Amino acid sequence: MANRIAGRKLGRPTDHRLAMLRNQVTDLLRHEKIVTTEAKAREVRGIAERMITWGKQGSLHARRQVLRVVTDKETVRKLFDDLGPRFADRAGGYTRLVRLGPRRGDAARMAQLELVGGEEG
């Protein structure tokens, strides 16, 4: 019985999975759009939404919490200076998941994860 088990393992060891998710969140915040598998996109979405919520707060504590996940200081600066104010009047739902066709090599279900509210970057 697998009740109340959160998160996907994505076929990777824990340290590899966490590093991959951190990298994808960083890339999503930097480029505002990524193309990945649907399962990875669903995992990244929750982390990215949490980072944007921290970015809206703008405090030193929030910045340090984001730096635990986002690996690039310039991206953190963008999050707090540009993205936080952009989503200030939005109560969640900062990302959009667009399903794409299957990947050519292995027929994996692909998706595009993007930030809503202006396609800048």
Side-chain angles (χ1 to χ4, degrees):
M1 185 162 59
N3 293 337
R4 298 169 64 107
I5 296 177
R8 296 166 179 82
K9 292 190 178 180
L10 300 172
R12 288 167 171 78
T14 304
D15 54 347
H16 183 182
R17 180 175 61 249
L18 295 177
M20 178 191 64
L21 292 175
R22 289 175 60 188
N23 288 334
Q24 288 200 331
V25 167
T26 302
D27 286 341
L28 175 64
L29 295 176
R30 181 184 300 138
H31 302 294
E32 301 191 15
K33 182 188 305 186
I34 60 171
V35 176
T36 184
T37 63
E38 195 173 320
K40 288 180 198 169
R42 288 180 183 203
E43 287 299 306
V44 169
R45 179 172 52 184
I47 302 169
E49 299 253 348
R50 202 169 311 125
M51 295 303 110
I52 293 171
T53 302
W54 281 116
K56 285 169 55 175
Q57 293 180 11
S59 64
L60 178 61
H61 175 66
R63 187 174 295 264
R64 287 178 175 166
Q65 292 295 311
V66 169
L67 281 167
R68 290 171 38 178
V69 176
V70 178
T71 57
D72 181 34
K73 290 186 179 178
E74 188 60 38
T75 304
V76 172
R77 193 170 296 117
K78 176 183 178 180
L79 174 64
F80 281 86
D81 295 344
D82 300 337
L83 299 178
R86 187 184 352 167
F87 293 116
D89 58 343
R90 191 176 183 100
Y94 314 115
T95 58
R96 175 184 299 128
L97 185 68
V98 180
R99 288 174 179 82
L100 306 173
R103 184 161 55 195
R104 188 154 177 202
D106 60 355
R109 294 178 5 187
M110 299 299 287
Q112 176 176 300
L113 188 63
E114 59 191 18
L115 299 180
V116 299
E119 303 302 320
E120 302 166 11

